[in-house]
Amino acid sequence: MSMFREHWLGGLTAYSIFFILSLVTTLTISIFYGTPFDWNPTITLDPLEIVGCFVIALLFGLWPDVDITSKSQKIFYSVLFVVNFSLILFLRRYLESAIIGLLAMLPILSKHRGWTHSKVTMFLLPMLFMLIPIYSEYSNWHWSLNWEILLQQIVSIITWERLPTVAQRGFAFYLAGLIGYASHLYLDGILIGTRKTKGKKAYTI
């Protein structure tokens, strides 16, 4: 059974604690050592981006339960519909829309508390927030099914001199997603395994 209220509150609470601690650390070091206030990549000081981080933490606190009929599922597929609609109608990014649509099917095809409740997914899925800026900024994309070309593309990206700077733009959002996701797994007794949970046993890898 989905614990909708517990999960969205858990995501917001966990990220709020992290944000406050990180903000206090940032301000303290900046004031005492005279460093710029934007030295800390774990949070953003832009008001809109701060709101975005809290929204991401909330959504990722709900996301693992999209594999069952639940309020979480309704929220996420509503958001995905708006995103896909915008990609097709306004931005004309058909490939990206197709990829998102394909990925959106995966949770429904899996069993409840399968890979969506995996610790590995918890770390990997929020990485989209670092990959999206790279995709947007890197100008030498060449889509191909040829493995040699794909390998060359990967090597080229890894050796790209702007990679650390561009990836850092999404790091605060990555952490927001990671913390929200971790709060869900903790409340389900998967992250640490100290809470009792109902239902099927989840993957813990």
Side-chain angles (χ1 to χ4, degrees):
M1 182 177 179
S2 175
M3 302 183 296
F4 177 78
R5 183 174 181 274
E6 189 172 356
H7 284 313
W8 76 259
L9 283 175
L12 279 182
T13 302
Y15 187 71
S16 295
I17 293 171
F18 168 81
F19 182 82
I20 292 171
L21 291 175
S22 189
L23 180 61
V24 170
T25 301
T26 300
L27 296 177
T28 301
I29 292 178
S30 295
I31 291 172
F32 281 94
Y33 293 96
T35 59
F37 287 104
D38 60 352
W39 67 268
N40 186 359
T42 64
I43 60 171
T44 175
L45 299 180
D46 181 276
L48 287 178
E49 292 183 356
I50 290 173
V51 173
C53 285
F54 275 90
V55 171
I56 288 170
L58 185 153
L59 291 176
F60 271 75
L62 298 174
W63 190 84
D65 281 341
V66 297
D67 57 358
I68 57 171
T69 301
S70 61
K71 290 183 180 179
S72 300
Q73 187 186 79
K74 291 179 181 178
I75 290 173
F76 265 92
Y77 281 101
S78 296
V79 172
L80 283 174
F81 175 80
V82 173
V83 170
N84 248 350
F85 184 82
S86 300
L87 285 172
I88 294 172
L89 194 62
F90 300 114
L91 302 178
R92 298 186 179 182
R93 305 298 291 265
Y94 304 116
L95 177 61
E96 290 82 353
S97 174
I99 292 173
I100 290 175
L102 181 63
L103 294 176
M105 299 179 191
L106 297 180
I108 298 178
L109 296 176
S110 66
K111 61 182 180 180
H112 181 43
R113 293 200 170 184
W115 66 270
T116 62
H117 285 72
S118 166
K119 295 176 185 177
V120 174
T121 309
M122 177 187 74
F123 285 102
L124 294 182
L125 188 63
M127 288 185 69
L128 287 172
F129 295 110
M130 290 192 291
L131 294 176
I132 289 173
I134 295 172
Y135 174 79
S136 300
E137 293 288 333
Y138 189 70
S139 59
N140 295 322
W141 285 108
H142 299 292
W143 293 100
S144 174
L145 296 178
N146 186 299
W147 287 105
E148 292 184 0
I149 296 177
L150 284 176
L151 182 60
Q152 293 174 0
Q153 185 82 81
I154 293 172
V155 172
S156 177
I157 294 172
I158 292 174
T159 57
W160 184 35
E161 60 181 8
R162 295 190 59 218
L163 179 62
T165 302
V166 174
Q168 185 176 309
R169 295 179 190 172
F171 188 61
F173 300 105
Y174 168 79
L175 287 179
L178 176 64
I179 291 169
Y181 210 127
S183 72
H184 186 110
L185 298 191
Y186 172 76
L187 291 171
D188 279 0
I190 299 169
L191 188 64
I192 300 177
T194 56
R195 288 172 56 94
K196 293 182 179 180
T197 56
K198 298 179 181 180
K200 297 175 68 176
K201 184 178 180 181
Y203 291 150
T204 57
I205 59 172

